Amino acid sequence: MTTPARQDAAQYDPSPIGVFDSGVGGLTVLHALRRTLPGESFLYLGDTARLPYGTKSAATVQRYALQAARILVDRGVKALVIACNTASAVALEALAAHYAPLPVFGVVGPGAVAAAATGSRRVVVLGTESTISGGAYQRALLALRPTLAVYGRACPLLVALAEEGRHTGPIVDLVVRDYLAGVLAGVVEPAGAGAPHTAEDGATVLLGCTHFPVFRRAIVAALGTAAAYVPIVDSAATTAAAVAAEFAAGRVRGVPPQGPAPRITLIATDGAARFQRIGHFFLDEPIDAVQLVDL
Ligand code: DGL
């Protein structure tokens, strides 16, 4: 017979949630997860040795993602969040199948939900070469709203700038302007007679790469007056909400009440000091320690 104490224990699980990205960008998703699930512990892996993922083939990214997930699974995570758009786009199904019944979450579906919620008829997706050419966002958005017009723009230089810790300044402004000009011309006309005035008539910019939220200010500046009718969204908050919904539904067990204080453990595959220095900007809090692992 199960005692009440044992029944209680079975309802809870103090194990951490695993979060994985190619680098420090996924810390923006970890930040949102921490806000949404403040009692939970997290184990974050940034595969900094092999970044960027966005220029590599789907087969290579799948292999990298399986290896990165293995580290987290071996350390006993109770759920896995792929906080990398490129890996989510090509490896979510493979990871979910490989590690079943472990709950595995990606960021593409939640990112599409965030963009569709703005009401815009047009969505401009900014992502890595692999994410844009693979069309995962296109499919996710059209599944939600088949009448949407979806445009994609690969912005690989932004990944390098973000990993450099360069989020503002003339080089960033130039690169952002160049990328946006290439995709927004013809989608959103400059303000003036006949120009759109609401998000519905304008377009939504979807930051389809975990590294891009740090360029929000530069993107708003590049949009100029169009910023009034071009909402900018990313997948961090909606991914955290999707994970929290699984806890609420009882499909992932939460930490016990009055359990130990939550722990955040950060792991990188290279450059621990660099990760610490650059990462705090994405996590929005100081980083005390980063462990190194070899995949
Ligand atoms: N973290 C990746 C993403 O969200 C971008 C960086 C990379 O190319 O590795 O797509």
Side-chain angles (χ1 to χ4, degrees):
M1 202 177 95
T2 316
T3 63
R6 277 212 183 142
Q7 265 173 3
D8 269 6
Q11 282 172 19
Y12 303 114
D13 186 349
S15 313
I17 299 167
V19 183
F20 141 68
D21 182 41
S22 55
V24 292
L27 292 171
T28 53
V29 178
L30 177 58
H31 176 71
L33 284 164
R34 291 200 65 196
R35 289 176 71 130
T36 309
L37 296 163
E40 295 294 331
S41 290
F42 293 93
L43 182 58
Y44 178 97
L45 171 64
D47 191 8
T48 40
R50 303 192 291 196
L51 175 130
Y53 280 17
T55 53
K56 300 195 168 75
S57 69
T60 297
V61 173
Q62 271 186 20
R63 181 161 51 86
Y64 286 0
L66 283 164
Q67 290 168 348
R70 167 57 56 207
I71 296 276
L72 300 173
V73 172
D74 285 351
R75 292 193 183 202
V77 296
K78 63 184 173 189
L80 186 63
V81 180
I82 313 172
C84 174
N85 292 262
T86 307
S88 295
V90 299
L92 175 61
E93 278 156 31
L95 282 171
H98 193 84
Y99 292 108
L102 185 79
V104 181
F105 303 88
V107 290
V108 171
V113 167
T118 64
S120 298
R121 287 196 288 255
R122 287 166 284 220
V123 177
V124 172
V125 184
L126 308 181
T128 64
E129 283 172 60
S130 167
T131 300
I132 299 303
S133 66
Y137 266 112
Q138 172 107 356
R139 289 189 292 279
L141 284 159
L142 293 180
L144 289 170
R145 280 183 61 198
T147 55
L148 276 174
V150 185
Y151 307 81
R153 176 68 161 154
C155 309
L157 277 176
L158 292 183
V159 176
L161 287 167
E163 289 281 331
E164 271 298 304
R166 284 194 187 227
H167 312 128
T168 55
I171 296 176
V172 168
D173 291 341
L174 198 66
V175 171
V176 166
R177 268 208 307 276
D178 188 68
Y179 281 142
L180 284 182
V183 70
L184 284 178
V187 177
V188 177
E189 303 302 337
H197 293 289
T198 64
E200 197 191 6
D201 294 337
T204 288
V205 170
L206 168 55
L207 306 179
C209 174
T210 47
H211 287 65
F212 297 174
V214 295
F215 300 114
R216 198 176 273 267
R217 205 183 298 169
I219 294 169
V220 169
L223 285 170
T225 51
Y229 45 84
V230 179
I232 303 167
V233 299
D234 65 57
S235 52
T238 39
T239 299
V243 176
E246 293 300 290
F247 277 79
R251 286 189 283 270
V252 186
R253 288 176 294 151
V255 288
Q258 277 102 44
R263 278 172 57 101
I264 311 299
T265 308
L266 303 174
I267 312 170
T269 51
D270 197 15
R274 195 165 191 286
F275 186 107
Q276 205 166 342
R277 195 174 70 245
I278 308 288
H280 80 94
F281 196 82
F282 290 80
L283 188 59
D284 203 22
E285 63 182 271
I287 292 177
D288 299 333
V290 179
Q291 299 173 16
L292 268 188
V293 292
D294 192 3
L295 301 184

